[in-house]
Amino acid sequence: MAIPTNTFTTYEAIGIREDLTDIVTTISPVDTWVTSNTGNKRSTNRYHEWQRDALAAAAVNKVIEGDSATATAVTPRSREGNYNQILRKTWQISDTDMAVNTAGGSEDSQQLTKHLAELARDIEYALVINATSASGASGTARQMKGMLGWISTNNETGAGTANEALTETMLNDALSDIWAAGGKPSNILVGGFNKRKISNFSTNTRNVAATAKELTAAVDIYESDFGRIAVRLHHQLNTTAAGTLIILGEMSHWNKAWLRPVKREVLARDSASTKYMVEAELTLESLSEAGHGKITLLTSA
């Protein structure tokens, strides 16, 4: 249908107000399961320390009636430690930008929310992925050791060949090792590819609910010989360490030790703008690494 002659339309109009929503959408993953499910403690020095102890192995224990007691040698406790890592996010906003009317609220508020979320993801990364610690020095940053660095006793690698496919046997071998060491497996952290591997283990029964027309083909709880274990997707293990699976025992064995909790600071002005910073300093406390495990050298795609 032709438009009547001289009809003025929106294509010629120049005074139409913009249609810009006040909602700002962020699609980046922000899950921080480890940060949320580990304990919190106070740290008072850049190197945080704690002690570990272990029971003697069970053995035959019998004595002669009336025998005198002889003291056995005491095994000293071990002393462990981890360095506090400083994590920071900064941003700067001009005075003019703060003065204009910005959709979605002030830029200051939007950037604070964004950078706090980014800092939270960086903390999660350090707690899980960091393989080594670093003491730091003048001009060198300190680094905490994360879960992947701490877990060493129970490291299942199948045949020990890189890019090996995850199998149910490998998983149960790791669970058995953790249990034998005194651990109680409770959670499996895994990336998307190997989560699908677990869901497709041969023992998995796919259920179809006819009335709801739903097909269940996922394993979120793995019922093993060593207990019920939650299988949890973890974004850091989907990218940085995609060929690794972490099996966690009791979560009370892990604590975040805060030297300086997350804090927002407004920094000194040196121009017609304001500089902001959010910063935290913390480390990871591993009370019993043998109560956990990992499977490495897995295929990831």
Side-chain angles (χ1 to χ4, degrees):
M1 179 181 293
I3 299 174
T5 303
N6 295 328
T7 300
F8 188 76
T9 68
T10 58
Y11 297 104
E12 290 80 37
I14 63 171
I16 299 175
R17 295 186 182 277
E18 64 179 7
D19 179 13
L20 178 60
T21 179
D22 281 332
I23 299 174
V24 179
T25 303
T26 301
I27 62 171
S28 300
V30 293
D31 297 339
T32 54
W33 189 87
V34 169
T35 304
S36 300
N37 287 275
T38 47
N40 290 285
K41 287 190 175 180
R42 185 81 173 91
S43 177
T44 58
N45 202 343
R46 65 173 182 266
Y47 187 63
H48 179 71
E49 296 182 274
W50 59 94
Q51 297 180 79
R52 287 182 186 165
D53 205 353
L55 302 178
V60 174
N61 190 336
K62 57 184 180 181
V63 295
I64 302 170
E65 181 179 338
D67 192 24
S68 59
T70 302
T72 57
V74 173
T75 303
R77 294 183 290 270
S78 64
R79 187 166 173 171
E80 305 289 345
N82 205 357
Y83 289 98
N84 275 290
Q85 180 174 329
I86 302 172
L87 300 98
R88 174 191 295 169
K89 288 288 181 177
T90 59
W91 66 100
Q92 192 163 351
I93 304 173
S94 72
D95 292 348
T96 301
D97 188 76
M98 291 294 293
V100 300
N101 186 11
T102 306
S106 71
E107 197 66 42
D108 177 26
S109 177
Q110 290 289 338
Q111 291 300 322
L112 176 61
T113 301
K114 175 183 177 179
H115 284 85
L116 282 173
E118 291 178 351
L119 184 66
R121 289 200 310 176
D122 290 348
I123 290 173
E124 182 80 358
Y125 180 98
L127 292 173
V128 177
I129 302 298
N130 282 4
T132 59
S133 63
S135 59
S138 177
T140 304
R142 293 189 301 277
Q143 178 172 295
M144 74 171 81
K145 185 191 294 184
M147 286 181 169
L148 283 179
W150 277 112
I151 298 172
S152 59
T153 300
N154 305 307
N155 183 11
E156 172 67 41
T157 59
T161 304
N163 297 321
E164 186 176 4
L166 174 66
T167 66
E168 193 164 6
T169 298
M170 291 169 64
L171 177 59
N172 279 287
D173 285 346
L175 295 174
S176 178
D177 291 343
I178 295 168
W179 175 82
K184 298 177 181 178
S186 61
N187 291 277
I188 297 173
L189 304 184
V190 65
F193 180 84
N194 283 305
K195 172 65 165 64
R196 294 172 64 186
K197 286 288 186 183
I198 295 174
S199 293
N200 283 296
F201 281 165
S202 60
T203 55
N204 177 30
T205 300
R206 298 186 177 213
N207 300 313
V208 179
T211 55
K213 297 181 180 179
E214 294 179 356
L215 170 65
T216 301
V219 172
D220 294 326
I221 299 292
Y222 184 72
E223 187 81 41
S224 76
D225 290 325
F226 308 98
R228 287 169 57 86
I229 305 168
V231 184
R232 303 183 184 279
L233 283 166
H234 196 279
H235 281 291
Q236 305 298 348
L237 293 176
N238 193 53
T239 52
T240 305
T244 300
L245 181 151
I246 297 177
I247 305 169
L248 298 174
E250 297 172 78
M251 291 307 295
S252 59
H253 292 174
W254 301 99
N255 292 299
K256 301 178 297 296
W258 299 88
L259 184 59
R260 292 185 296 130
V262 177
K263 185 178 181 180
R264 171 181 179 265
E265 295 279 1
V266 179
L267 304 180
R269 288 172 61 90
D270 57 4
S271 62
S273 60
T274 304
K275 188 183 295 184
Y276 302 89
M277 177 180 76
V278 285
E279 188 173 270
E281 189 168 0
L282 74 157
T283 193
L284 177 64
E285 188 179 88
S286 171
L287 300 181
S288 177
E289 67 83 18
H292 313 272
K294 60 186 178 184
I295 303 177
T296 58
L297 305 180
L298 298 173
T299 53
S300 58

